[in-house]
């Protein structure tokens, strides 16, 4: 393919040559498999990702008052500094943040004169949290111009310059500490420490020594089901639409009853349905080790029994979601259900590691990461390009092509004229019917008005 590319580079530019060059460039790019990880706050997504990767302190997790507030991509470090933990933070532009603030102010102005329902109150809390996180007390009652003052962004010049902020660290723990203010909303902190997550579009974390699982795979930790900020929401939708697999993460105690998990699936299903990349959905029930005190005497049996019961309940509920199932092939293994315990995988108090099903998720990633599949895709793509070149060479008849092109152009012009005539006829019909309707309305209105203003029973019928 390199030899083909070099020969194409020597040829003059034509539509076909440019198309083939673009195809080869696309072929050379390592298209990664995207696994979207969804779940309600507190479901344990970050802890789960840490456990799967064997990096217990990579993504900030565990604080009851904090939650992941931005989209985080986790992939293998394939750079020259492949022994480092790297974080690349992509900010929205100043204009996008200004538009976001303006939207908040506009929403407040509208709500001041209108009654609100509970959902509106929740949205207000989210917006107030953004301003409080970034500005603290300075945000209270401040104008748009005051909030956009550059003094608030001195510590992050990358935001004003529209470039990525990059951290390189020797340990996962060090990286986690540095990125916390860019990833987490901490609503229970007693002291104010400026948090920059409201300005962040996306964070990419590159992990060393993880090629086994992530060389060709990206794990994307997606907070909730979208964001009111336009730029962040568009990026969120782009990732969802490109997901090869979707993981819905939920606490096992609320796997079937918690509506948020099913609402996330329902609200995103159209983005990864037919024509999308998605090939499987996995429903992951976490915290399987969290059992009642009176069950701890026979913890292993209780955990495994509940795991099997929950798996059946989740599958049954999924099978009842007719609207959701319409978007997918009727494959028996399209929906996979896992019951996992990150704590038990690390400590092994009651379960063996294999019983925590963390190894099953690791194997799932290895299968996506399979180099043989990538090789097959490359060969298939290369074969398509070579076949196209061969086909173009064998049908290189310039005169015939020009003649066919002229015929097609004439047919196209004729069809366009035909469409125009049809549209004119439809327009005239609509106009005629509407005009007649207006005349009938005027006449009936006059009759009704006369009946009201000058009823028949009145002797004097003058207006």
């Amino acid at each position: 393919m390199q030899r083909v590319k070099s020969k194409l580079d020597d040829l003059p530019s034509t539509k076909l040559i440019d198309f083939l060059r673009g195809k080869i460039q696309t072929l050379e790019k390592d298209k990664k498999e995207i696994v979207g990880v969804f779940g309600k706050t507190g479901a344990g997504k970050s802890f789960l990702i840490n456990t799967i990767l064997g990096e217990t302190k990579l993504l900030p997790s565990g604080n009851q008052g904090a939650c992941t507030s931005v989209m985080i991509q986790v992939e293998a470090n394939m750079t020259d500094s492949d022994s480092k933990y790297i974080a690349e933070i992509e900010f929205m532009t100043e204009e996008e943040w200004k538009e976001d603030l303006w939207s908040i102010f506009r929403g407040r102005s509208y709500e001041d004169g209108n009654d609100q329902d509970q959902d509106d109150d929740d949205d207000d809390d989210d917006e107030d949290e953004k301003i409080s996180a970034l500005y603290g007390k300075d945000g209270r009652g401040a104008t748009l111009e005051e909030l956009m003052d550059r003094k608030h962004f001195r510590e992050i010049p990358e935001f004003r310059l529209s470039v990525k902020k990059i951290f390189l660290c020797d340990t996962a723990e060090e990286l986690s500490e540095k990125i916390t203010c860019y990833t987490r909303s901490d609503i229970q902190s007693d002291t104010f420490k400026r948090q920059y997550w409201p300005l962040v579009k996306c964070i990419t974390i590159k992990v060393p020594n993880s090629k086994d699982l992530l060389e060709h795979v990206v794990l994307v930790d997606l907070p909730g089901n979208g964001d009111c900020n336009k730029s962040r929401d568009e990026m969120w939708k782009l990732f969802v639409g490109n997901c090869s697999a979707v993981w819905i993460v939920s606490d096992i105690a609320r796997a079937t009853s918690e509506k948020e998990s099913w609402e996330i699936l329902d609200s995103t299903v159209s983005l990864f349905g037919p024509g999308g990349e998605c090939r499987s959905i996995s429903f992951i029930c976490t915290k399987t080790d969290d059992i009642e005190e009176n069950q701890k005497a026979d913890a292993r049996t209780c955990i495994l029994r509940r795991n099997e019961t929950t798996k059946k309940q989740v599958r049954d509920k999924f099978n009842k979601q007719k609207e959701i199932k319409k978007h997918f092939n009727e494959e028996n293994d399209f929906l996979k259900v896992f019951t996992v315990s990150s704590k038990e995988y690390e400590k092994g108090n009651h379960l063996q590691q294999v019983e925590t099903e963390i190894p099953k998720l690791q194997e799932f990633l290895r299968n996506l990461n399979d180099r043989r599949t990538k090789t097959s895709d490359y060969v298939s793509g290369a074969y398509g390009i070579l076949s196209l070149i061969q086909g173009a060479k064998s049908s290189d008849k310039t005169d015939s092509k020009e003649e066919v092109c002229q015929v097609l152009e004439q047919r196209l012009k004729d069809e366009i004229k035909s469409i125009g005539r049809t549209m004119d006829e439809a327009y005239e019909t609509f106009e005629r019917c509407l005009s007649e309707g207006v005349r009938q309305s005027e006449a009936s209105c006059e009759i009704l008005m006369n009946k009201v203003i000058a009823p028949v029973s009145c002797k004097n019928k003058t207006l």
Side-chain angles (χ1 to χ4, degrees):
M1 294 311 296
Q2 287 297 330
R3 288 198 297 272
V4 171
K5 184 176 182 297
S6 64
K7 288 184 178 181
L8 288 173
D9 290 340
D10 294 336
L11 295 174
S13 178
T14 66
K15 286 184 178 180
L16 176 61
I17 297 300
D18 292 344
F19 176 78
L20 292 170
R21 286 172 183 161
K23 281 294 182 181
I24 291 178
Q25 286 179 353
T26 303
L27 190 65
E28 290 173 347
K29 292 178 181 177
D30 184 9
K31 185 184 177 186
K32 300 203 173 189
E33 306 283 358
I34 298 176
V35 179
V37 186
F38 299 81
K40 183 184 176 183
T41 298
K45 301 194 304 298
S46 299
F47 192 16
L48 175 66
I49 293 173
N50 287 348
T51 305
I52 290 171
L53 299 180
E55 299 283 358
T56 56
K57 297 182 179 179
L58 180 62
L59 300 182
S61 65
N63 186 340
Q64 293 297 321
C67 62
T68 304
S69 300
V70 301
M71 185 166 60
I72 302 177
Q73 300 180 67
V74 184
E75 58 187 56
N77 183 359
M78 306 295 290
T79 68
D80 294 335
S81 305
D82 58 1
S83 64
K84 297 285 188 180
Y85 292 83
I86 301 175
E88 297 177 352
I89 301 172
E90 182 180 354
F91 296 99
M92 63 179 69
T93 64
E94 280 192 271
E95 192 59 38
E96 286 170 341
W97 177 238
K98 186 175 182 179
E99 184 180 334
D100 205 8
L101 289 174
W102 178 243
S103 176
I104 294 172
F105 281 106
R106 195 165 54 232
R108 286 178 177 174
S109 299
Y110 173 79
E111 287 153 7
D112 286 343
N114 294 273
D115 294 332
Q116 294 176 252
D117 58 25
Q118 183 61 44
D119 290 340
D120 292 332
D121 290 337
D122 292 340
D123 291 339
D124 287 346
D125 291 341
D126 292 340
E127 303 301 355
D128 290 339
E129 187 182 348
K130 282 184 181 181
I131 293 179
S132 298
L134 183 58
Y135 300 102
K137 293 180 180 178
D138 292 344
R140 296 174 186 171
T143 64
L144 180 63
E145 288 72 23
E146 290 170 338
L147 294 180
M148 289 303 297
D149 192 307
R150 293 195 169 186
K151 69 180 181 180
H152 299 298
F153 315 112
R154 285 173 187 157
E155 295 179 20
I156 47 169
E158 296 87 354
F159 167 67
R160 292 187 288 106
L161 297 172
S162 294
V163 297
K164 292 180 180 179
K165 188 175 187 67
I166 299 175
F167 292 108
L168 279 82
C169 301
D170 293 321
T171 66
E173 186 174 8
E174 180 188 356
L175 184 74
S176 181
E177 290 176 359
K178 287 189 175 183
I179 67 172
T180 295
C181 65
Y182 299 94
T183 64
R184 309 269 285 174
S185 167
D186 190 352
I187 59 176
Q188 293 186 358
S189 177
D190 295 330
T191 58
F192 173 71
K193 183 178 179 181
R194 199 180 297 277
Q195 300 171 36
Y196 296 107
W197 59 263
L199 302 176
V200 176
K201 266 189 183 181
C202 178
I203 297 180
T204 299
I205 295 177
K206 299 181 179 181
V207 185
N209 307 315
S210 58
K211 292 181 182 179
D212 178 43
L213 299 176
L214 297 179
E215 183 177 0
H216 308 291
V217 174
V218 180
L219 285 171
V220 184
D221 186 349
L222 293 148
N225 58 336
D227 189 282
C228 60
N229 173 267
K230 182 180 178 182
S231 63
R232 202 151 47 201
D233 190 48
E234 287 176 352
M235 181 176 285
W236 182 87
K237 288 180 178 178
L238 177 64
F239 271 99
V240 174
N242 290 328
C243 283
S244 303
V246 170
W247 289 0
I248 308 291
V249 181
S250 177
D251 186 328
I252 191 170
R254 295 181 289 275
T256 55
S257 61
E258 186 177 73
K259 66 178 183 179
E260 285 85 352
S261 298
W262 297 92
E263 285 178 349
I264 288 172
L265 178 59
D266 184 53
S267 63
T268 56
V269 70
S270 61
L271 297 173
F272 52 69
E277 300 287 336
C278 186
R279 296 193 294 273
S280 73
I281 298 175
S282 296
F283 204 101
I284 302 174
C285 307
T286 58
K287 305 180 184 180
T288 61
D289 58 283
D290 190 2
I291 56 177
E292 301 291 337
E293 189 66 33
N294 60 4
Q295 296 177 317
K296 291 185 177 179
D298 193 10
R300 180 176 177 275
T301 301
C302 291
I303 291 171
L304 295 179
R305 185 187 298 123
R306 181 174 65 171
N307 288 353
E308 288 305 311
T309 301
T310 303
K311 284 183 179 181
K312 184 178 184 305
Q313 291 173 342
V314 170
R315 288 194 184 96
D316 289 345
K317 184 164 184 175
F318 179 79
N319 288 330
K320 293 177 182 178
Q321 312 298 312
K322 294 181 180 179
E323 289 301 315
I324 293 177
K325 290 192 70 178
K326 285 181 182 178
H327 292 271
F328 304 104
N329 297 326
E330 293 294 328
E331 297 178 7
N332 293 330
D333 62 345
F334 186 85
L335 175 72
K336 298 177 175 65
V337 184
F338 299 92
T339 47
V340 305
S341 171
S342 298
K343 286 184 179 179
E344 283 295 311
Y345 182 79
E346 293 176 6
K347 298 178 180 179
N349 293 331
H350 305 296
L351 301 177
Q352 298 177 17
Q353 281 195 339
V354 68
E355 292 174 324
T356 67
E357 299 200 356
I358 294 293
K360 287 186 177 181
L361 291 176
Q362 292 170 333
E363 187 61 26
F364 181 97
L365 293 179
R366 285 192 187 95
N367 290 335
L368 275 182
N369 196 41
D370 191 348
R371 182 71 249 181
R372 289 172 297 176
T373 302
K374 295 296 174 183
T375 303
S376 176
D377 290 345
Y378 186 93
V379 171
S380 180
Y383 179 78
I385 292 171
L386 296 174
S387 297
L388 185 58
I389 293 173
Q390 184 63 33
K393 286 175 65 178
S394 64
S395 60
D396 190 14
K397 299 176 181 177
T398 306
D399 294 339
S400 176
K401 288 181 181 177
E402 290 181 357
E403 184 179 341
V404 170
C405 184
Q406 290 173 359
V407 172
L408 289 175
E409 285 183 356
Q410 186 58 48
R411 287 183 180 176
L412 183 60
K413 290 176 181 177
D414 293 341
E415 291 299 327
I416 289 174
K417 288 180 181 178
S418 175
I419 292 172
R421 287 194 296 271
T422 304
M423 292 179 67
D424 289 341
E425 291 172 2
Y427 177 80
E428 291 172 1
T429 302
F430 273 118
E431 187 174 39
R432 185 171 62 255
C433 292
L434 289 171
S435 298
E436 180 61 28
V438 170
R439 285 194 294 271
Q440 291 178 4
S441 296
E442 290 176 345
S444 61
C445 180
E446 185 176 349
I447 294 170
L448 288 172
M449 289 293 292
N450 287 334
K451 287 181 178 179
V452 173
I453 298 173
V456 177
S457 58
C458 295
K459 294 181 180 179
N460 183 7
K461 295 185 180 180
T462 58
L463 294 176

